[in-house]
Amino acid sequence: MTIGEMENVEVFTAEGKGRGLKATKEFWAADIIFAERAYSAVVFDSLVNVVCHTCFKRQEKLHRCGQCKFAHYCDRTCQKDAWLNHKNECSAIKRYGKVPNENIRLAARIMWRVEREGSGLTEGCLVSVDDLQNHVEHFGEEEQKELRLDVDTFLQYWPPQNQQFSMQYISHIFGVINCNGFTLSDQRGLQAVGVGVFPNLALVNHDCWPNCTVIFNNGNHEAVKSMFHTQMRIELRALGKISEGEELTVSYIDFLNISEERKKQLKRQYYFDCTCEHCKKGLKDDLFLGVKDDPKPSQEVVKEMIQFSKDTLEKIDKARSEGLYHEVVKLCRECLQKQEPVFADTNIYMLRLLSIVSEVLSYLQAFEEASHYARRMVDGYMKLYHPNNAQLGMAIMRAGLTNWHAGNIEVGHGMICKAYAILLVTHGPSHPITKDLEAMRMQTEMELRMFRQNEFMYHKMREAALNNQPMQVMAEPSNEPAPALFHKKQ
Ligand SMILES: [Zn+2]
Ligand SMILES: [Zn+2]
Ligand SMILES: [Zn+2]
């Protein structure tokens, strides 16, 4: 697949949704429908010193741009790749005397590119930046205020010798960033590190149960021969069979919520009313709010339990943001115990707690207890998510790791295999996370063989291994569970 080739799709008018993209041929699970480089992209303000400004990988050691001392790169290749886009930025930062925020930096990068290439269609783009939606007319008062502030700052930052754009055009660009920004993550997919605009991707409409997923790939320069180097890009990948002429869709938000809440979120963040099958028919809502069958709790009890769970989740958020992880665990345990006789195993209020408690306990290295919660979480998720959902794959991977660390080698290996199968579809075999998973799969397979041959020896070996090397500690739980695909203010 060559980046920027768009012969697999065509633009059409989707009923009631404006423009959309449809397939011009048949696709199967894991097929890449298209790959696209960012029109423009920037690293988040808080990470400018630890993430490469070209490929968005997190690196220990980065080279700094000698002139502005702001931009950072992995190596010469990344620095050379960046120059065309950084040249104007570099002198603007020097002139302005400071670095404006990520929003302003991204708008300026887009406009330098427009200045360079003109505002019409650029190569490999099915739509121009001018033609992307901005939804400025839907902005509320608060958003309007922020927009005016951004435009003001932009005008101070933008050099007088460059092409001058109208206020209306500048507002349009900020609107485009606001509703089409896509989150870029580091090479392990653990952290959101930047935001970019991908015009072709912006044409793909939302569906809560989509037929595609989009994944960010940082590319790689490790091969000795530069002809094998790959560049950062997004890939639109098929989740199952797609027929010729079928509309291509992705999900802008996480599926795990009742349709009413998903619709509210989409309206608030993306300004449209979702009319997908799952929202129209409220599919899976009964599972999301599932309660025990025998004995069935009264409606009153269910209502109270939902309220109690919401209150507890708020307390948990607060404790987690303060780093009070033992408090988080205590709150989760208590709430889960109360939920037990009321909620079924697919209830989202239960699953949210299971996800938090297993993550935090793993971080605290209490793998044994974490592994039980992680297993219950995966059982629930598998009844709710599309079988090839990327979030499902990542959750099973984490649960598999937890079980492996807890010494549940059979369960751990099974989960790692399952996660690997999903990520082959959603991320592809060359993605660093998939490669990590493949290594884990081989390691756990070997351990499992040993376990089956001689359980006693296996445990001896494990003990020795654990005593000799410090256990690999999981990343500290953050307040945002996993980077959301699309870059939106909450
Ligand atoms: Zn780089
Ligand atoms: Zn510079
Ligand atoms: Zn929907």
Side-chain angles (χ1 to χ4, degrees):
M1 157 98 330
T2 316
I3 299 174
E5 261 180 32
M6 297 298 295
E7 78 278 358
N8 290 338
V9 295
E10 79 189 10
V11 186
F12 78 116
T13 309
E15 211 180 312
K17 295 193 283 192
R19 281 173 308 200
L21 281 189
K22 62 180 183 183
T24 54
K25 57 180 242 200
E26 192 174 84
F27 290 102
W28 296 90
D31 281 346
I32 301 176
I33 295 162
F34 66 78
E36 180 182 21
R37 289 207 75 182
Y39 184 82
S40 298
V42 292
V43 173
F44 286 149
D45 296 336
S46 54
L47 299 167
V48 292
N49 298 330
V50 290
V51 170
C52 172
H53 290 214
T54 297
C55 69
F56 296 83
K57 281 184 195 156
R58 244 194 119 99
Q59 305 277 23
E60 288 286 310
K61 266 208 180 113
L62 291 167
H63 300 266
R64 195 166 63 158
C65 172
Q67 298 195 41
C68 62
K69 316 249 186 291
F70 162 71
H72 286 73
Y73 305 103
C74 303
D75 51 27
R76 284 245 157 243
T77 315
C78 280
Q79 183 157 21
K80 246 173 51 201
D81 275 2
W83 187 239
L84 185 62
N85 288 308
H86 177 58
K87 195 168 59 178
N88 286 305
E89 180 183 73
C90 194
S91 51
I93 287 172
K94 277 186 288 177
R95 190 191 70 90
Y96 188 50
K98 55 189 171 193
V99 180
N101 73 35
E102 61 218 20
N103 226 15
I104 314 285
R105 284 189 283 120
L106 182 54
R109 278 188 164 224
I110 292 174
M111 279 185 261
W112 278 312
R113 186 150 178 196
V114 170
E115 182 184 38
R116 225 165 42 232
E117 298 176 4
S119 59
L121 281 183
T122 49
E123 208 189 324
C125 283
L126 297 171
V127 60
S128 71
V129 172
D130 287 18
D131 276 340
L132 288 177
Q133 285 191 305
N134 62 53
H135 288 291
V136 171
E137 75 275 17
H138 294 122
F139 277 17
E141 220 170 284
E142 200 49 42
E143 282 173 303
Q144 289 281 1
K145 225 163 80 192
E146 274 171 42
L147 175 63
R148 279 195 296 273
L149 216 68
D150 278 347
V151 173
D152 278 350
T153 317
F154 175 83
L155 289 169
Q156 292 165 37
Y157 174 56
W158 187 255
Q161 71 273 19
N162 284 103
Q163 182 183 335
Q164 297 304 306
F165 294 93
S166 70
M167 296 285 268
Q168 199 192 351
Y169 191 79
I170 301 169
S171 301
H172 164 73
I173 295 297
F174 279 113
V176 165
I177 294 171
N178 179 60
C179 57
N180 297 293
F182 183 81
T183 306
L184 310 180
S185 48
D186 67 339
Q187 62 270 41
R188 297 278 170 260
L190 295 173
Q191 191 181 21
V193 297
V195 54
V197 170
F198 300 79
N200 296 331
L201 176 65
L203 292 172
V204 182
N205 285 319
H206 164 88
D207 193 300
C208 292
W209 195 262
N211 54 16
C212 295
T213 190
V214 49
I215 188 71
F216 180 63
N217 191 318
N218 305 71
N220 127 39
H221 295 145
E222 276 154 35
V224 180
K225 271 205 170 135
S226 61
M227 66 181 290
F228 295 117
H229 287 184
T230 57
Q231 292 179 315
M232 73 93 129
R233 63 197 180 268
I234 53 100
E235 291 170 357
L236 188 75
R237 307 179 69 95
L239 295 180
K241 181 181 180 263
I242 298 174
S243 312
E244 185 185 331
E246 201 178 311
E247 177 171 15
L248 302 165
T249 54
V250 291
S251 181
Y252 299 171
I253 58 168
D254 185 28
F255 177 61
L256 237 55
N257 215 336
I258 51 170
S259 55
E260 194 192 319
E261 291 296 324
R262 287 199 312 268
K263 282 199 276 194
K264 267 195 226 160
Q265 189 187 349
L266 288 163
K267 183 82 181 172
R268 191 174 64 241
Q269 299 186 339
Y270 296 95
Y271 316 101
F272 71 89
D273 299 296
C274 192
T275 55
C276 80
E277 280 300 294
H278 278 69
C279 283
K280 257 197 314 213
K281 298 182 179 157
L283 297 179
K284 305 228 173 186
D285 281 356
D286 53 337
L287 291 173
F288 288 142
L289 296 175
V291 293
K292 279 265 154 53
D293 250 344
D294 193 23
K296 208 178 163 92
S298 71
Q299 271 189 345
E300 196 59 24
V301 169
V302 174
K303 233 177 102 186
E304 268 172 34
M305 190 51 71
I306 290 178
Q307 194 52 51
F308 178 76
S309 305
K310 282 183 178 170
D311 294 344
T312 307
L313 280 161
E314 253 175 54
K315 283 186 207 161
I316 289 171
D317 264 358
K318 190 166 171 289
R320 189 151 74 155
S321 64
E322 289 165 8
L324 303 171
Y325 298 125
H326 289 281
E327 177 67 14
V328 171
V329 172
K330 190 170 144 265
L331 285 164
C332 287
R333 278 192 198 125
E334 282 168 8
C335 193
L336 281 165
Q337 205 173 14
K338 285 203 174 136
Q339 289 175 344
E340 187 67 46
V342 182
F343 289 160
D345 59 355
T346 55
N347 190 294
I348 44 172
Y349 294 104
M350 188 182 262
L351 290 171
R352 279 178 198 157
L353 287 169
L354 289 171
S355 161
I356 295 168
V357 75
S358 58
E359 183 198 5
V360 171
L361 282 168
S362 294
Y363 172 68
L364 298 173
Q365 306 212 9
F367 294 113
E368 183 58 35
E369 191 186 354
S371 68
H372 296 289
Y373 291 130
R375 262 190 270 184
R376 282 172 59 191
M377 175 189 76
V378 167
D379 287 345
Y381 279 5
M382 300 230 298
K383 293 178 188 148
L384 297 169
Y385 274 120
H386 183 289
N388 282 334
N389 181 292
Q391 274 107 313
L392 174 67
M394 296 292 281
I396 299 179
M397 175 175 88
R398 285 193 298 272
L401 263 173
T402 301
N403 273 280
W404 180 18
H405 283 318
N408 308 324
I409 187 65
E410 289 188 286
V411 177
H413 177 66
M415 283 181 170
I416 285 166
C417 289
K418 177 116 196 77
Y420 181 64
I422 297 174
L423 263 69
L424 278 177
V425 173
T426 58
H427 290 60
S430 70
H431 198 283
I433 310 177
T434 318
K435 284 185 176 165
D436 278 356
L437 257 174
E438 193 179 9
M440 283 185 239
R441 190 178 60 113
M442 291 193 302
Q443 174 69 25
T444 49
E445 193 173 88
M446 187 198 78
E447 288 185 22
L448 183 59
R449 222 177 299 133
M450 193 184 294
F451 172 80
R452 283 185 176 146
Q453 278 164 5
N454 191 332
E455 210 171 308
F456 176 77
M457 276 304 290
Y458 166 77
H459 287 296
K460 276 269 165 252
M461 176 216 73
R462 231 184 84 78
E463 249 167 59
L466 291 183
N467 288 337
N468 278 336
Q469 68 188 54
M471 183 81 82
Q472 181 200 342
V473 180
M474 302 247 180
E476 181 160 347
S478 72
N479 242 349
E480 316 146 58
L485 280 182
F486 291 85
H487 178 69
K488 282 302 286 184
K489 291 182 293 248
Q490 287 307 301

